[in-house]
Amino acid sequence: MMEEKYTMEIRAKVALSLPNTFYKIVLKYDTFEKATYDSYLIASLVANTKSEEEAYNYIDEITGKGSLNPHFKKLYDQISKFTLEQINNIIENSLFPVTVVDTKNHFKYYPIFDATRMNDKVYDGNLRDNEEKLKNLIMPKGDKIKFLSMEYSEEEGTLKTDNYNAIFSDVDIKVDLDNGQYYPISKDNFDLVHENEAINLEGYLGDISDNITEGNWNVLSNSIVGTFSKAKYVFRDTNKRHCVINSDCIKTTEVINVFGLYFYKDSKYDFSSKNAQLCEDAINYLMDSKNINEFKTKSLIWILSAIDEKVAQKVIQYILGRKDSKEISELALRIIKSGLEKGWNHDVLFSIKKQVSSADYKYLYRLDSDLDFAIEDILGIDDIDLTSHDRKRKQEYISKKENILKEINLMIGEITNSGVREKIKSLSKSKLKDSVKKFVDKRTGHNKKDYNLMSLEQLEREYNEIKGMYYGDYHEILKVINDNN
């Protein structure tokens, strides 16, 4: 049994300058148009007079020497030559016979493919040699239309470069002239219509293979190659492709040399875990070239989020070791929360601490408790996670705060229960009364403060103010009230 031979092929866009013959068509045919009142009148005159003299006399009677006189006589000369059937058609059906000379049709014939292109459609052969088919394509349809003649003028068509879909294989080359049907072309003819320039691949970083893969291939030109080295962030990935890092993706370019031509294919890959290796290659390039220092932060975070966390950690530490960054710090914190707690540098953790919320300090504390945590920073951290020194600091802080709260509540409670707020209403206006009223209004009833939410520093300020009132104006106003009673 013979082994079946597999045919390689590639579909690509290719720029061709196709020689062609341009044909203009002059089409003549009889048809009818709506008859005017003038033509109806003169047709009736032709049908009902016996001679030209009789008709002219009638026209003179109805028009005199006005401008309609020569117009009607000229129309009479035209209609009098019509057949009786045509004259009756004007009178009975208002159909005036006309001969149309149509010059708007044209087509191109491509001898290389033996195909004709007309009105964005392609036909096999030269339509010039198939008059019946051409006539059917351009003649208007209708019972009252009569073909008269069709003439051609021929000239060499303009040689214009256009892009065409083509199929290249080890058997032949085929080109689509726009109708989805591919026409074969010999390699010699292809070389004549395609500018097969010598390609300079100096700016291309990838490998050149003969392996045809899935995708949209195009014939490579030096103008395309020139764009390869113009991109800012260009590298070679582990799959030996030419790569460019854009703000939202990585574009790869592959080049193959088959059928005596160079082809290229561009592909785009987003910054996601499914493209982790490519993203890691991009990061390695940015680090090695030092372009990491100027690369857009938003795009960098997308790439770092797509790669292995340990690799991302190294990059993050490099960046935060040189400058603070809120966005990079937040990414580092997410990686820490996900479980990567080892290997973080002290200075980097300190940089992260400056950028993130204090509610997240507990994650940093577990990694390094020596990050200048203030007492307020460790209050939300479980005692079991605190060092013995910080646990003692926290307990002393809480104890001191509780004692102050107790003293405040005692003083405020006594002031509230004394009824001083109502009792001072009957007193005459004075600075002492205003001072006590302002204090009571601010700290009792609906305006009562929530001291539990205050820091120790805030609480101490409140305590000193309340204590000053309690042992000062409050007791003084009580004496005034008692004296008045």
Side-chain angles (χ1 to χ4, degrees), residues 395-413:
Q395 290 169 352
E396 290 175 350
Y397 178 94
I398 292 173
S399 177
K400 188 173 182 181
K401 185 176 177 180
E402 287 176 346
N403 289 333
I404 294 176
L405 276 171
K406 183 178 180 181
E407 290 294 321
I408 288 176
N409 288 333
L410 285 173
M411 288 186 286
I412 292 296

Side-chain angles (χ1 to χ4, degrees), residues 18-21 108-117 125 164 177:
L18 299 177
N20 63 88
T21 304
K108 286 183 179 181
Y109 172 67
Y110 298 89
I112 285 179
F113 302 108
D114 189 26
T116 298
R117 185 174 180 179
Y164 297 89
L177 290 179

